[in-house]
Amino acid sequence: MKTLQFREAIAEAMSEEMRRDDTIYLMGEEVAEYNGAYKASKGMLDEFGPERVIDTPISELGFAGIGVGSAMNGNRPIIEFMTFNFSLVGIDQIINNAAKIRQMSGGQFNCPIVFRGPTASAGQLGATHSQAFESWYANTPGLKVVVPSNPADAKGLLKAAIRDDDPVIFMESEQMYGDKGEVPEGEYTTPLGVADIKREGTDVTIVSFGKIIKEAYKAADELEKEGISCEIIDLRTVRPMDHDTILKSVKKTNRMVILEEAWPFGNVATEIIYHVQDKAFDYLDAPIVKLNTADTPAPYSPVLLAEWLPNHEDVIKAVKKVLYKL
């Protein structure tokens, strides 16, 4: 194993795949000369040159469309959005072209493309730069949605996403790029659609993904001191979702808390809850609790932002609620 920052794991995954396959290229704002807005493509321009690491104007609709067209013609583009908040400018290309072209062409065209960049909040960035888009894109048939929480998963999942023959939405976080973690040496990929049990437990299942899962780890450490054993599942891939791992855990613990940084209406947590009550209702000893942000645009004030986001104290209260210990 070796220790890498999250941004280094992203750069390593892209570079390894680009060495393996010359149809892969990276395109986006500041990915080349500036080494990436978050330094996630550092050194790639020097290695691969300007024909494969391409700086673009501030025109998400334009370069998203170029990526889709080139994917239909045999390339495997990686399109970087400086933030998925900016993907809204190019969302027509993602939803109406990338996600649908295989079906609408009767299978004559596929679209092996990765759209990657940060999602959700990252401090005081204001309401328009702090939105979580996992459930937006996961709602669309034809798209796969990946949200890693650590460097090892990020590298393995990104390599798998680049090799996938369908469009993949790969979501990161500005607040994770500096995170360090152990990453396996040598070649490996992590399959899409497979969740990972990050912590074994017996009393309650906590499901989360992305950077907010850190709050679940903090809560589990505190609850362990009180003799409460938490099992933590990292979804890693939101779509396709690994329902089997979730159901198996719930059937063991009989209780569930879902932690997700997203608005509360119609999100990933609600989809999980539907499947659990449909397939494992008789195993539940308490109603499922889901933790989300407040149902408002993200505030700029740091005091209000802290209240807006779910945190480890909220997780502790939720776990005690499903255990009837409040």
Side-chain angles (χ1 to χ4, degrees):
M1 303 289 278
K2 58 186 176 183
T3 300
L4 293 179
Q5 289 186 331
F6 194 103
R7 61 168 58 90
E8 293 172 329
I10 294 292
E12 197 168 89
M14 292 190 293
S15 296
E16 287 180 6
E17 292 304 298
M18 287 174 70
R19 293 181 197 121
R20 185 184 62 83
D21 182 348
D22 62 11
T23 68
I24 300 168
Y25 66 89
L26 173 65
M27 175 184 284
E29 297 157 3
E30 299 186 347
V31 299
E33 297 288 346
Y34 193 64
N35 286 307
Y38 313 107
K39 300 298 181 277
S41 52
K42 187 176 181 180
M44 292 179 63
L45 174 63
D46 292 338
E47 179 174 356
F48 299 105
E51 291 187 354
R52 297 184 67 197
V53 182
I54 305 166
D55 277 331
T56 68
I58 302 173
S59 180
E60 285 80 6
L61 179 62
F63 64 78
I66 291 169
V68 171
S70 70
M72 291 169 60
N73 283 278
N75 291 300
R76 290 182 174 270
I78 304 165
I79 302 300
E80 178 179 314
F81 295 120
M82 198 177 292
T83 160
F84 266 96
N85 294 279
F86 301 157
S87 75
L88 295 184
V89 183
I91 200 168
D92 179 60
Q93 293 292 342
I94 302 169
I95 300 294
N96 281 332
N97 292 332
K100 296 178 173 63
I101 194 62
R102 181 191 289 271
Q103 185 201 51
M104 293 181 68
S105 70
Q108 294 178 83
F109 292 100
N110 63 351
C111 192
I113 187 171
V114 175
F115 298 98
R116 51 160 293 270
T119 185
S121 67
Q124 290 180 266
L125 298 179
T128 58
H129 287 193
S130 302
Q131 301 165 107
F133 291 98
E134 296 89 339
S135 62
W136 291 42
Y137 286 113
N139 187 250
T140 304
L143 297 179
K144 298 178 181 179
V145 180
V146 180
V147 195
S149 67
N150 59 79
D153 285 346
K155 180 180 177 182
L157 288 165
L158 182 52
K159 286 170 70 70
I162 293 168
R163 297 181 189 188
D164 201 279
D165 287 332
D166 291 310
V168 179
I169 308 295
F170 193 93
M171 295 179 156
E172 304 154 14
S173 168
E174 293 100 326
Q175 292 181 323
M176 287 198 298
Y177 285 121
D179 289 358
K180 293 182 179 180
E182 289 192 337
V183 176
E185 297 274 7
E187 171 66 24
Y188 76 98
T189 61
T190 303
L192 306 186
V194 180
D196 189 31
I197 297 175
K198 298 297 188 185
R199 180 178 182 137
E200 299 274 357
T202 56
D203 294 329
V204 61
T205 297
I206 302 174
V207 178
S208 190
F209 58 90
K211 78 172 190 294
I212 201 71
I213 200 172
K214 297 176 186 178
E215 298 300 315
Y217 297 145
K218 291 179 190 175
D221 288 340
E222 291 297 314
L223 288 164
E224 188 177 36
K225 298 173 185 176
E226 301 180 35
I228 297 172
S229 174
C230 300
E231 181 148 295
I232 299 177
I233 296 175
D234 185 346
L235 284 182
R236 303 195 297 191
T237 303
V238 170
R239 184 163 186 169
M241 189 179 292
D242 184 358
H243 292 293
D244 290 343
T245 295
I246 297 169
L247 291 170
K248 184 177 179 180
S249 178
V250 170
K251 289 177 181 179
K252 177 176 71 171
T253 67
N254 310 117
R255 294 170 174 85
M256 171 175 276
V257 171
I258 306 169
L259 173 63
E260 177 189 5
E261 183 181 343
W263 290 314
F265 188 90
N267 53 33
V268 174
T270 59
E271 181 70 10
I272 296 170
I273 290 169
Y274 170 78
H275 281 275
V276 171
Q277 65 82 33
D278 184 47
K279 303 296 184 183
F281 181 82
D282 290 337
Y283 290 87
L284 290 172
D285 288 341
I288 299 168
V289 174
K290 72 185 184 80
L291 300 171
N292 299 118
T293 67
D295 197 14
T296 69
Y300 178 75
S301 159
V303 176
L304 293 177
L305 185 63
E307 287 296 313
W308 184 79
L309 284 164
N311 59 40
H312 73 283
E313 293 178 351
D314 297 322
V315 178
I316 290 171
K317 290 177 184 177
V319 167
K320 290 184 176 181
K321 181 178 180 179
V322 300
L323 290 168
Y324 302 110
K325 290 182 178 291
L326 280 181

